[in-house]
Amino acid sequence: MAKKEKTKNNENQTQYYDITMNILFAIVSEPYYLFHFLTFFSYFSVRICTCHLFDPEFSAHLIHRELQALVAFLTLAVVKVVKEETWDGFVADMLLFSKFFLVGIALIVDLNLALWFMLTFLVIYTFTQQPAYMGLGAVAQLTPLQLETLLTEGGTSRFWLVEFRSLVSSTCIRTSRTLPELSITFANKHISFGVVDLGLFPNTAERFGISLGMPDQLPTFILFENNEEVSRFPEMHSSTKVEDITKKRLCRHFELDKHLLDYISGK
């Protein structure tokens, strides 16, 4: 029994170590996360270097406001970690809340400091972008020609669930792990999953009735049976919010459970 508990503890420690290393790697390797980290860290540097300039009454007031901001941030984090389905969306929300709180605290310290933070966040927003989820699961990255070939000439799969997205869209980035995670559970010889990047192939959008002029139509998920469109989400000429794109919603809309049962039963 003691040996099993020791093995389990070692596995947990390894898992936490891997998560920590992945976070540190993302901060160092991705400009979007690195610049945000440096900007937030700069506040603590300024705070420590200038604390001797404040009178005791102002210092007490500032600490009180900082604690209020921290409690409010942690409360929002708890709410969002329950509501958000993907870590990409959670991180995006937390960074947004952090910016508001940081600028608000900076306004208490000095107006110029607050303006500096706002300018810095504007530069980060202009020149960097939150990276999309890079794991593919059982999803195939397809060009329009490859998709046309698979649909017209057939293959091992009768059905193809294809996500049309553009990584310029923040919604597509926030939901970029949804289809890969679904594919891990539901991909089989009966149904396959693919992604077409309309940012690379914008002319393909018209072919499948997707309007790039309407950001709410990205991403668009289309289920094909052989060469025929069976259903899509969101519907043509309708809009959707990022909160609507969940694994549960897509699973129900495209009846993925039914497709999996049909495959198991040999239908």
Side-chain angles (χ1 to χ4, degrees), residues 11 17 38 45 76 78 82 121 130 147 155 172-173 185 190 196 217 249 252-253 257:
E11 290 177 353
Y17 174 79
L38 292 176
S45 301
L76 288 171
V78 171
V82 173
F121 289 134
Q130 182 179 358
L147 178 59
C172 293
I173 292 173
T185 303
H190 188 69
V196 176
Q217 283 201 351
R249 180 80 176 266
R252 182 173 64 251
H253 183 85
D257 290 323

Side-chain angles (χ1 to χ4, degrees), residues 140 142 145-157 160 226-227:
L142 302 173
L145 181 59
Q146 289 173 328
L147 178 59
E148 291 284 357
T149 302
L150 288 169
L151 296 180
T152 55
E153 296 182 3
T156 57
S157 292
W160 274 89
N226 298 324
N227 195 28

